[in-house]
Amino acid sequence: MKKYNSILKYIFVMIAALVIAGCVHDDKYNEPNLDGYQCADLTATMTLTQLRAKYTTTSFTFPDNSTDIVEGYVSSTDETGNIYKTIYIQDKPENPTQGFVISVDAVSTYTNYPQGSKVYIKLAGLSLGTYGGVVQLGVKNGTETAATSVSRIPEKLVPAKIFRSCSVRANIVPKIMTSLQMVSANDQYIGCLIQMDNAEFDSRILCTNYAPNGVTVDRLIRDNSTATTRVVRNSGYASFANQILPSGNGKFVGIYSKFNSTYQMYINKATDLEMTKFPRLDGIASNPCEYSDNGLTQKTVAEVKQLVTSPLTLITGDFVLKAKVIANDKSANLFKYIYVEDATGGIRINIDKADMFNDPRFVVGKEVYVKLKNLYVGAVNGEIQLGVPFSGAVGRIAEADVYKYFFDSKKAITAVTATEKAITQFTMADVGRWVKIKDLQFIAGDLEKVYASGAVTNRTLEDCSGNKVLLRTSNFADFAGQVIESGKGDVYGVLSIFNGTYQLWITDVLGADLDDPRCDGSVYTPLPVLYSDGFAAGGFSSDWTAVNVAGTQVWNTSSQGNGTNYYAVMSAPLGNAANEDWLISKSVSLVGKTKAAVNFISDVRYGGNALQVYATENYTGNPATTTWVLLPAALDTNNAAFGDWVSSGNVDLSAFLGKNVRIAFKYTSTSAAAATWEIDDFKIKGQ
């Protein structure tokens, strides 16, 4: 029963943390009520330094009958939710000489062991081990994956092992440390409360929040002792997570820690930080996160586009653009750019920053203020964009400069409203807008394909009059590997243009939620599989014939780089060699079928001839004397990397209906170029 209570308690704390993160704007809390909780004043038998010395190269467990006791002062608090299932202690409340980490399977430990509490730990049955190279106190329960590791002390065991002094509660005075002193020679201070003076957060993260909701992130910080930055690790469940990082210079206070070779710190409370002084070490003279309209002239998107006089037009006026973010990189379909829109139109802004969706300024539905002076505007492949110069065109604004141009409007997030358009109505004024196009379907040739594989991929959408528009999807999009829907419906996305061709970018699969019957009233049903081979067992069965015409290399199977999943592979040696090799399938009957297709996936590496895919109804046993029909199968084109498998789509076999058909893969290479080709998930379908 206690196990379930612990789980419910954890769930409650996480929900409470999320609620607090959205509502609390400071971290002032009442002192916990300690009445009635077990306390004891014991006698320590060893120091924290002596405890640390017990660990050498493997875990150490104190005997169950051990009478050893260690004492320390709690340097941390999990009151704000930034520290999780860990109690940090140090040997003295001021000028400590040793810190330590206690791993506990419990939350809200501050209610029983508030910061400054003197605690005694009975060591019998407890174990010393490491996590991330840091020695910590826990238990051995048999689930550990390494001889050096330990597990958390169970919640029900904590009161029997850790006792708060009934009489001593101290004020923890942070130990002054510089970034330069954060080296292995000072690892004894891990777990101590420290203070960095003249500290400031890296300019690349100015005006962002401590952490996105539910996401733990590293924020870089430095002082004047060295140019080397250190890490402040913030939890997305902390009550202060959605607050903006302090943008000035000053005092940083946190728990000193380390993960492997990376020194990092944990904030107890955001109010421990006093970082408001300007100028900063990097020369920033005033708070860059404060926005004022003074001296600025507002421009609309349409007016910004009208500023273009060349591929690179410098904006010299003191202008500001106020527009709503309509698309960002949350699904990874867009990469290092966003689209914003106002009543007059939309525009792409290029920013050299990853995970912009976690930045409160760039959340979809948020109005952002963009100071335009010293930015550039120009057409890139026909689309007007905002950014800075790169190779003669508009490139990305440096991450370190983001704070100079982008400001949080502090307005509430509102829904993005799509502009309804038909394909035949597209104009340049629509480029950059969030649009809705009614009653679209993917063309028949794209059905059963995934959105993207191997590279940025174009699929084609059409309306019921046959008008077409490209849907462009990055192979890094989180929905790239999903099969496109085969029905008809409304499509939502950003309209862009590339050298005169309009194209759409959706930000998730709901942008193309096509559930209605197709334009002709039909409901597409995937063709049944007549024959398939995934080469799963390795080697070729009697269903396949490998024919070597030239060269010493032959078709084979392999699972290299693919776990236990085998595939067919053909390649010449790295030194290149001339080869001609065929891999020919068994004969499959299409008698009585009215539709038929072949489908497979391919992967290519290194430069060389393209693989050729053929079909025949009269294989003679010799490829040279057989009549072959070349099939227009889609093949992988990215020869720079393995693993980016591309679907061929359903390659039509209508010419072989009523006949028996074989499919062949022809590989050729030369002494100058020899690619590696891989084939998998082979299927012949028909009905």
Side-chain angles (χ1 to χ4, degrees):
M1 186 65 181
K2 290 183 180 179
K3 177 180 179 181
Y4 295 111
N5 287 339
S6 175
I7 293 171
L8 290 172
K9 183 177 181 182
Y10 168 71
I11 292 172
F12 173 79
V13 169
M14 290 300 97
I15 293 172
L18 287 172
V19 172
I20 292 170
C23 303
V24 173
H25 299 285
D26 57 50
D27 39 27
K28 297 177 182 177
Y29 298 89
N30 295 324
E31 282 289 295
N33 183 359
L34 302 176
D35 294 342
Y37 190 79
Q38 180 180 5
C39 66
D41 286 296
L42 307 176
T43 301
T45 64
M46 67 172 61
T47 65
L48 289 181
T49 301
Q50 292 169 329
L51 174 64
R52 171 63 181 83
K54 291 284 186 182
Y55 179 87
T56 52
T57 58
T58 188
S59 59
F60 173 85
T61 300
F62 287 88
D64 290 338
N65 61 354
S66 173
T67 58
D68 282 317
I69 296 173
V70 71
E71 69 180 24
Y73 293 83
V74 177
S75 56
S76 64
T77 174
D78 60 358
E79 190 172 5
T80 64
N82 196 44
I83 292 173
Y84 178 69
K85 292 191 174 183
T86 306
I87 301 173
Y88 293 96
I89 62 174
Q90 57 190 60
D91 60 355
K92 294 187 291 184
E94 187 172 0
N95 296 319
T97 61
Q98 182 74 54
F100 220 83
V101 182
I102 308 173
S103 181
V104 295
D105 197 15
V107 295
S108 297
T109 57
Y110 78 94
T111 58
N112 300 320
Y113 312 105
Q115 187 181 44
S117 297
K118 185 175 185 180
V119 293
Y120 301 91
I121 305 163
K122 291 184 177 180
L123 298 171
L126 299 185
S127 300
L128 294 169
T130 61
Y131 176 73
V134 174
V135 176
Q136 59 182 356
L137 190 63
V139 296
K140 279 285 193 181
N141 60 20
T143 63
E144 296 79 22
T145 58
T148 57
S149 62
V150 292
S151 299
R152 301 182 190 277
I153 300 172
E155 182 176 19
K156 64 182 180 180
L157 189 60
V158 170
K161 293 297 180 182
I162 307 176
F163 297 84
R164 176 178 46 80
S165 170
C166 302
S167 57
V168 180
R169 173 88 180 272
N171 178 45
I172 303 297
V173 178
K175 177 179 176 58
I176 306 296
M177 284 189 72
T178 66
S179 181
L180 187 63
Q181 292 171 329
M182 296 180 185
V183 293
S184 57
N186 289 322
D187 280 2
Q188 69 268 27
Y189 299 118
I190 290 174
C192 294
L193 187 69
I194 67 163
Q195 175 178 320
M196 285 178 67
D197 291 327
N198 295 306
E200 61 191 36
F201 285 103
D202 191 275
S203 64
R204 289 170 293 181
I205 55 174
L206 290 180
C207 311
T208 61
N209 47 14
Y210 281 92
N213 282 340
V215 180
T216 297
V217 293
D218 293 340
R219 301 303 195 195
L220 297 181
I221 196 170
R222 58 163 294 201
D223 63 11
N224 60 348
S225 68
T226 175
T228 301
T229 57
R230 300 301 181 187
V231 168
V232 178
R233 193 153 173 81
N234 298 331
S235 168
Y237 294 103
S239 61
F240 56 81
N242 72 335
Q243 295 181 35
I244 301 300
L245 287 166
S247 57
N249 181 284
K251 181 179 74 174
F252 173 90
V253 175
I255 298 296
Y256 184 49
S257 187
K258 181 181 181 181
F259 185 78
N260 295 328
S261 60
T262 301
Y263 288 92
Q264 57 189 25
M265 292 161 283
Y266 292 91
I267 298 169
N268 280 320
K269 298 178 181 179
T271 48
D272 288 343
L273 279 57
E274 298 176 11
M275 303 169 68
T276 58
K277 294 186 299 184
F278 292 94
R280 289 164 40 109
L281 298 172
D282 57 13
I284 297 175
S286 60
N287 190 341
C289 307
E290 294 179 351
Y291 173 83
S292 171
D293 277 327
N294 292 339
L296 297 176
T297 300
Q298 186 171 344
K299 291 287 186 180
T300 66
V301 168
E303 290 171 333
V304 171
K305 290 183 175 181
Q306 289 168 2
L307 296 174
V308 176
T309 59
S310 65
L312 269 175
T313 301
L314 173 65
I315 301 175
T316 58
D318 290 315
F319 303 143
V320 63
L321 172 65
K322 297 183 177 181
K324 181 185 291 188
V325 178
I326 59 169
N328 60 24
D329 58 359
K330 187 171 185 178
S331 68
N333 199 28
L334 308 187
F335 179 67
K336 294 191 174 182
Y337 60 91
I338 60 171
Y339 278 94
V340 300
E341 182 179 340
D342 65 10
T344 69
I347 192 168
R348 168 173 159 168
I349 307 179
N350 302 312
I351 306 170
D352 196 15
K353 179 180 172 68
D355 297 331
M356 283 187 281
F357 68 95
N358 281 329
D359 189 313
R361 292 166 291 187
F362 304 128
V363 174
V364 169
K366 189 68 175 286
E367 185 174 29
V368 62
Y369 297 161
V370 187
K371 286 186 177 180
L372 297 172
K373 188 173 183 177
N374 296 326
L375 293 182
Y376 286 74
V377 62
V380 181
N381 298 312
E383 180 177 356
I384 296 176
Q385 302 174 7
L386 266 173
V388 296
F390 179 77
S391 298
V394 178
R396 299 169 184 154
I397 300 165
E399 185 176 13
D401 292 335
V402 168
Y403 75 89
K404 299 177 182 178
Y405 301 107
F406 299 93
F407 297 85
D408 192 333
S409 67
K410 306 295 176 65
K411 294 182 179 180
I413 295 170
T414 57
V416 174
T417 302
T419 299
E420 188 171 318
K421 287 283 179 176
I423 294 174
T424 55
Q425 296 174 331
F426 292 159
T427 69
M428 285 298 296
D430 299 315
V431 173
R433 283 190 182 276
W434 185 254
V435 297
K436 170 186 177 182
I437 312 170
K438 297 186 69 175
D439 296 331
L440 295 187
Q441 64 186 22
F442 286 102
I443 62 172
D446 280 344
L447 298 181
E448 297 189 46
K449 294 181 181 179
V450 296
Y451 280 93
S453 180
V456 179
T457 303
N458 289 334
R459 300 290 180 222
T460 302
L461 288 159
E462 63 180 359
D463 62 22
C464 292
S465 297
N467 300 300
K468 295 178 174 59
V469 63
L470 294 179
L471 178 72
R472 195 156 170 80
T473 306
S474 167
N475 55 306
F476 294 105
D478 60 13
F479 56 88
Q482 294 191 39
V483 176
I484 61 176
E485 294 200 15
S486 56
K488 180 188 69 176
D490 300 339
V491 175
Y492 294 81
V494 174
L495 183 66
S496 68
I497 194 167
F498 184 83
N499 292 337
T501 300
Y502 291 111
Q503 52 191 21
L504 291 170
W505 293 86
I506 61 175
T507 52
D508 55 50
V509 290
L510 294 179
D513 192 16
L514 313 180
D515 295 330
D516 296 333
R518 292 176 66 79
C519 289
D520 61 4
S522 66
V523 175
Y524 180 80
T525 303
L527 291 173
V529 175
L530 303 177
Y531 170 77
S532 67
D533 194 345
F535 310 109
F540 295 118
S541 70
S542 58
D543 292 348
W544 293 91
T545 302
V547 180
N548 173 247
V549 176
T552 58
Q553 285 73 41
V554 296
W555 279 95
N556 211 326
T557 60
S558 173
S559 63
Q560 184 175 356
N562 221 26
T564 58
N565 182 16
Y566 281 82
Y567 49 84
V569 60
M570 176 61 202
S571 65
L574 291 179
N576 300 328
N579 279 271
E580 179 184 335
D581 284 87
W582 294 71
L583 182 63
I584 305 168
S585 76
K586 64 177 283 188
S587 177
V588 176
S589 174
L590 301 182
V591 174
K593 306 302 180 186
T594 57
K595 295 180 182 178
V598 60
N599 182 283
F600 58 90
I601 59 175
S602 66
D603 188 17
V604 66
R605 182 72 168 94
Y606 312 118
N609 294 339
L611 191 69
Q612 293 175 299
V613 187
Y614 291 97
T616 186
E617 61 183 275
N618 63 345
Y619 181 56
T620 65
N622 182 350
T625 60
T626 299
T627 300
W628 296 102
V629 175
L630 183 65
L631 299 178
L635 299 169
D636 185 21
T637 57
N638 179 21
N639 61 18
F642 282 117
D644 50 349
W645 293 90
V646 169
S647 172
S648 65
N650 281 343
V651 184
D652 187 28
L653 294 177
S654 294
F656 299 92
L657 295 175
K659 304 171 184 178
N660 295 323
V661 66
R662 292 177 187 260
I663 306 299
F665 298 98
K666 181 184 178 182
Y667 173 93
T668 56
S669 61
T670 69
S671 58
T676 295
W677 279 95
E678 299 170 350
I679 299 296
D680 205 357
D681 295 346
F682 179 86
K683 300 180 183 71
I684 294 178
K685 307 174 182 180
Q687 67 177 11

